[in-house]
Amino acid sequence: MSDVLATHEPVAPIGRKSEAYAPVNPRELRDNQIDGPELTTRLAKTWGTAPGLLGALSTVDHKIIGRRYITTAFMFLFLGGLSAVFMRLQLARPENGLMGPDLYNQLFTMHGTTMMFLFGVPIGEALAVYLVPLMVGTRNIAFPRLNAFSYYVYLFGGLMIWIAFMLNIGADTGWFSYVPLSGPEYSPGKRVDFWAQMITFTELSGLAVAVEIVVTVLKQRAPGMTLDRIPLFVWAVFVNSFVIIFALPAVMIASTMLILDRLVGTHFFNPAEGGDALLYQHMFWFFGHPEVYIIFLPATGFVSAIVTTFARRQAFGYLPLVLSLIATGFLSFGLWVHHMFTVGLPQLGASFFTASSMLIAIPNGIQIFCWIATLWDGRPVVKTPLLFVLGFFFIFVAGGLSGIMLASVPIDTQVHDTYFVVAHFHYVLIGGNVFPLLGAIYYWFPKFTGRMMSERLGKWNFWLAFIGFNMAFFPMHITGLMGMPRRVYTYQAEMGWGTLNLVSTVGALILFTSFVLFLINVITSLRHGMMAGPNPWESGTLEWAAASPPHPQNFDRIPVVTNREPLWAERSAIPVATGLSVDNRELIVSTVTEARADLREASPEPSLWPFIAAVATAVAFIGSIFTPWAVLWGGSAVGIALIGWFWPKGAKEDES
Amino acid sequence: MHRRLACVFLILPLGACQGWQSALDTHGPAASALEALFWTFLSVLGFVWVLTMGAVALSLRRRRPEGEDPLVTNPRRESRMGWTISGAVALTVVTVLTLTGLSYASQKHLFEKRDDVLTIKVTGHQWWWQVDYEDSQADKRFTTANEIHIPVGEPVLLKLESSDVIHSFWVPSLTGKMDLIPGRQNTLQIQADREGSYRGQCAEFCGWQHAHMGMLIVARPKAEFDGWRDNQIRDATAPQTDERKRGEQIFFSKPCVMCHQVRGTSAGGKVAPDLTHVGSRQYIAAGTLPTTRGNIAAWIVDPQSIKPGAQMPVIKIEPDELDPLVSYLEGLK
């Protein structure tokens, strides 16, 4: 294959077809036999999605599903933000009568649940679903049908919990739903069951996407994209996927044990029958702390991509950046107890987690330093995406440093479960995820849609978000130190927290306004934005070699990678590998470390079965809240759908 | 002074550090040590933040000539940046290790406990605090609720338990918080160095009235404390006036006695706050309302609009029954 890597010319067919190990069928049209618009059109037809509702529901195009994922995650971001606005209105003054504890508790539960499970985890995966295949130079994500399935499962889970909320049977025990409060005795009714099943839905979809990304990154990279040429964004979501694979099962088990306690009468968490309330906390936080990094890691990918492009310089310290990502991924599993410093654990054990929590500052510090160095030696162009990254530095570093305070057991005993913690993790999560994310949307919007977003509105968007954010959350550090606990629906006037809370509320309204502005910018730019062209920012990674928006096949010919920033290295034309079928869905499977083109592999055709399977899964999950028998008949329905899904494909893919 | 300066430094609103439930307005050795540790961390980390932001601001200068190939790097500059970053990482390591050490030292000191001291068992309920004073002599034990009196300048050991869900005991002016977990017992040592009333509040979400699960720690000199204790140990005094006698009758004719205890009478309920000396407490409804005639009446007539979801039911009371009932309860000093 080495000659493939070296040449700019279309070359002989690559590799073998995997299933049959058969020689290339001479009658099959290959992409080295035609050229230009004809090739583009024919490939678009092969990889395209049929029109109409049926086509829409059976699509397996990672870009269409990625777009849906992103849109849905943003929809949940807005719902979560709206619930926060109502909470802030209630807290604007002491003894406010806007709402009672019932609604307030549902609101903060929905806010946390939505932001963590329906926005935080999915948004990183959503962008990965769209961008990873483009960035590694392949035609579709691995397991594209599973990808479609995972999206529908996520959507149904999110709709279920929000519809339950609209019906006033929303969960009201917090996004963490500690037992025994969430157990059968103290939370009768169906509220917590909806919450626990929502976990099952979203974690199932999260795990599926993580597996797809791992396989796509390991086996579908364009020829020549060795491990040290993988874009930093792809590294970030790759490490993130492993964190997801190891973290999410813990919470799925916890929520399943909870639902068994509630519906079947087990006693996992009932101390009166030998169960243990703390067991739940350990399992929840064994997931819950990596969760924070699941939210943060993709954002480091956004930052790396944006910093590199707008500094006009390749990333400084590629290797330390990648190693930091991996170190962060590992360390994130050793910190969970710092959420439990006040439950009365042995002191020595607790202080181990102080040390490990502080240690994670080191890989994060390395990343920050490398980004600053990249800017330092570059020629920074402060467009909106970079502006958001600068906001990220300001806010995230502050949040990270207050995190070091929380890592200390003694300090944590004072500020744990107060507004200080609320301030801290909003600095980390909004600073560490939402600011880079908005930057990322401004950055990749031209790729998604073919049009630029308005810079003018973008600057307004940034400054309103920046001012509103700090105004809303900085005062919370102080209200927390002044003794205000979290999750209180009201407070007495003589506590003296009124003024600071009012400032926070005004800040929250400004922050929300900035998001409305963002939405307006997205909608108007979709129609009237400047046409972008394939590479409006003159970036260096492969997704910018595709059309904007990309054709269904992503690339007419699979690019061959010679540099970490292929578009900067090969200014005239990117070398390509040829020999893939034009009329059948084929992509290149490459070797894990050196990304040598290895096999031609068929990629699945569109199918309605993933959708049907997702509906069956949803019916089984939701049904089981009401009757244990739903597991049985729901499971059968899922089984039937899976048989349809996996039915042998017949001659088409096996021929040749 | 140190504290004030720090407040001004942070541009906090005036007086923000003060408050009867503030971690920065400390009145006990543990809370003071924690506060000192907090300010130490804040100054070190604040300095780190300022340095980092300085570097970000300086990095925005365009050092690269226009139109230069983004893949070109200057080896000398690369190595300089490499060394700078290595230095910064080394400093991070030193900082982190120092802070970890400080934290551990303070933790050891903070959680030292003595068991030869006044011991009080605090049991969390949705949404109030049951307080049992322990003693080796049975006739010196007694039960009260939501208000804990302690002698000034002496350590007091709290045994923390819960009867239902998880709560957290937090009186920021005295020390950090500790959870009350069903099926377990945690301990926490508190000490007040100055006379005064310090407010605390449940810090672990525990359901509808989590917001109204307050308590008061009253620290007074040993002699006064002993006097208070002797009074608390005593049974309720029988009512003397006609109105209070009538109030007592009403109290015993209503379901109140099913849940509440008044020692020395046949009211022996144990699932709600002990009312033997309720009139001596500064607040009712777990730190929610000051103990006044009006508030007692309001609480009896309509607890559910004051604390929606509270376990205290609405009990039918005739208009002419309210005054005597309030008099009876108010007189339980």
Side-chain angles (χ1 to χ4, degrees), chain B residues 39-257:
Chain B
W39 289 118
T40 313
F41 267 62
L42 184 66
S43 2
V44 173
L45 298 170
F47 184 63
V48 172
W49 185 82
V50 170
L51 278 185
T52 316
M53 287 311 108
V56 171
L58 291 176
S59 75
L60 293 179
R61 223 192 92 202
R62 297 180 175 178
R63 292 179 176 76
R64 186 166 274 260
E66 196 175 352
E68 193 177 64
D69 184 344
L71 293 177
V72 167
T73 49
N74 173 341
R76 273 189 53 205
R77 186 175 263 179
E78 291 295 284
S79 110
R80 263 209 313 265
M81 291 201 300
W83 282 110
T84 314
I85 288 185
S86 311
V89 172
L91 277 178
T92 312
V93 174
V94 172
T95 311
V96 159
L97 288 179
T98 314
L99 293 179
T100 308
L102 275 176
S103 167
Y104 186 58
S106 160
Q107 182 186 350
K108 280 189 78 163
H109 167 71
L110 190 71
F111 291 102
E112 272 170 358
K113 284 185 200 99
R114 289 169 50 185
D115 50 10
D116 55 340
V117 295
L118 175 63
T119 305
I120 305 168
K121 190 172 91 177
V122 178
T123 311
H125 298 273
Q126 281 180 325
W127 290 277
W128 60 283
W129 310 86
Q130 180 186 333
V131 182
D132 295 292
Y133 281 72
E134 299 194 338
D135 201 288
S136 50
Q137 286 170 263
D139 61 353
K140 287 203 164 174
R141 296 178 200 150
F142 64 93
T143 301
T144 175
N146 301 326
E147 194 171 298
I148 303 171
H149 287 237
I150 57 172
V152 169
E154 283 180 29
V156 175
L157 188 71
L158 302 180
K159 293 180 176 171
L160 305 175
E161 292 179 3
S162 169
S163 73
D164 39 45
V165 302
I166 301 175
H167 304 277
S168 192
F169 182 96
W170 187 38
V171 183
S173 307
L174 299 183
T175 188
K177 61 183 71 63
M178 181 61 79
D179 292 354
L180 294 74
I181 299 172
R184 286 171 188 256
Q185 187 183 70
N186 281 329
T187 53
L188 183 69
Q189 185 170 297
I190 58 170
Q191 180 177 339
D193 284 342
R194 273 184 289 275
E195 209 179 324
S197 297
Y198 309 111
R199 195 175 189 274
Q201 190 168 353
C202 176
E204 178 64 67
F205 177 64
C206 56
W208 274 35
Q209 284 307 324
H210 171 53
H212 289 131
M213 190 169 162
M215 78 187 102
L216 211 57
I217 306 279
V218 181
R220 21 174 50 178
K222 179 78 175 139
E224 278 180 45
F225 169 76
D226 287 339
W228 174 84
R229 178 160 70 173
D230 292 344
N231 181 54
Q232 294 287 318
I233 290 170
R234 274 195 286 276
D235 288 345
T237 43
Q240 304 298 321
T241 64
D242 287 348
E243 173 156 277
R244 289 200 65 223
K245 281 179 181 157
R246 183 150 178 258
E248 186 182 34
Q249 270 175 7
I250 296 164
F251 183 80
F252 282 93
S253 66
K254 303 280 175 190
C256 312
V257 292

Side-chain angles (χ1 to χ4, degrees), chain A residues 430-600:
Chain A
I430 297 187
N433 175 285
V434 179
F435 271 73
L437 172 71
L438 292 182
I441 298 292
Y442 277 90
Y443 178 60
W444 277 300
F445 190 82
K447 183 51 58 188
F448 300 155
T449 65
R451 290 177 186 272
M452 308 292 287
M453 283 176 81
S454 155
E455 271 293 311
R456 210 178 117 90
L457 272 178
K459 298 244 153 72
W460 273 95
N461 181 183
F462 170 77
W463 285 109
L464 279 180
F466 185 75
I467 293 167
F469 171 83
N470 284 295
M471 198 170 157
F473 292 103
F474 187 77
M476 289 184 188
H477 290 108
I478 304 161
T479 31
L481 289 167
M482 286 172 70
M484 183 163 169
R486 297 169 76 175
R487 303 171 182 132
V488 290
Y489 74 100
T490 191
Y491 52 91
Q492 284 135 289
E494 60 266 31
M495 302 309 298
W497 304 327
T499 317
L500 288 167
N501 271 293
L502 185 62
V503 173
S504 286
T505 301
V506 174
L509 291 173
I510 297 175
L511 182 60
F512 191 76
T513 311
S514 80
F515 279 91
V516 175
L517 214 57
F518 170 78
L519 194 65
I520 292 173
N521 198 354
V522 166
I523 292 169
T524 53
S525 304
L526 269 177
R527 289 163 164 248
H528 309 295
M530 263 190 353
M531 296 305 285
N535 192 358
W537 311 112
E538 295 173 43
S539 311
T541 39
L542 274 185
E543 78 273 25
W544 301 101
S548 295
H551 300 302
Q553 69 272 31
N554 290 352
F555 306 94
D556 287 352
R557 295 199 178 100
I558 301 300
V560 172
V561 175
T562 56
N563 190 286
R564 209 170 282 157
E565 306 282 348
L567 272 59
W568 285 347
E570 308 284 348
R571 295 252 165 199
S572 44
I574 295 241
V576 291
T578 59
L580 291 180
S581 169
V582 174
D583 296 323
N584 290 317
R585 295 185 171 218
E586 259 184 15
L587 38 76
I588 296 181
V589 169
S590 46
T591 56
V592 170
T593 48
E594 291 169 19
R596 275 179 291 107
D598 195 14
L599 302 167
R600 286 177 294 117

Side-chain angles (χ1 to χ4, degrees), chain A residues 333-486:
Chain A
F333 286 93
L335 319 177
W336 82 94
V337 171
H338 74 214
H339 297 266
M340 299 169 61
F341 281 162
T342 64
V343 302
L345 295 172
Q347 292 308 320
L348 192 66
S351 54
F352 168 82
F353 287 92
T354 296
S356 65
S357 306
M358 290 204 184
L359 273 184
I360 206 160
I362 295 166
N364 282 315
I366 293 176
Q367 294 194 69
I368 303 270
F369 299 147
C370 285
W371 289 321
I372 294 177
T374 309
L375 287 169
W376 189 283
D377 187 47
R379 196 181 159 74
V381 187
V382 187
K383 291 271 171 66
T384 308
L386 188 60
L387 206 50
F388 274 103
V389 168
L390 296 176
F392 151 80
F393 284 129
F394 187 96
I395 296 169
F396 177 76
V397 173
L401 294 172
S402 65
I404 290 189
M405 294 188 183
L406 295 174
S408 157
V409 176
I411 296 180
D412 188 66
T413 62
Q414 277 291 24
V415 292
H416 176 73
D417 267 335
T418 69
Y419 265 84
F420 187 90
V421 172
V422 176
H424 155 73
F425 69 73
H426 282 93
Y427 265 74
V428 173
L429 294 177
I430 297 187
N433 175 285
V434 179
F435 271 73
L437 172 71
L438 292 182
I441 298 292
Y442 277 90
Y443 178 60
W444 277 300
F445 190 82
K447 183 51 58 188
F448 300 155
T449 65
R451 290 177 186 272
M452 308 292 287
M453 283 176 81
S454 155
E455 271 293 311
R456 210 178 117 90
L457 272 178
K459 298 244 153 72
W460 273 95
N461 181 183
F462 170 77
W463 285 109
L464 279 180
F466 185 75
I467 293 167
F469 171 83
N470 284 295
M471 198 170 157
F473 292 103
F474 187 77
M476 289 184 188
H477 290 108
I478 304 161
T479 31
L481 289 167
M482 286 172 70
M484 183 163 169
R486 297 169 76 175

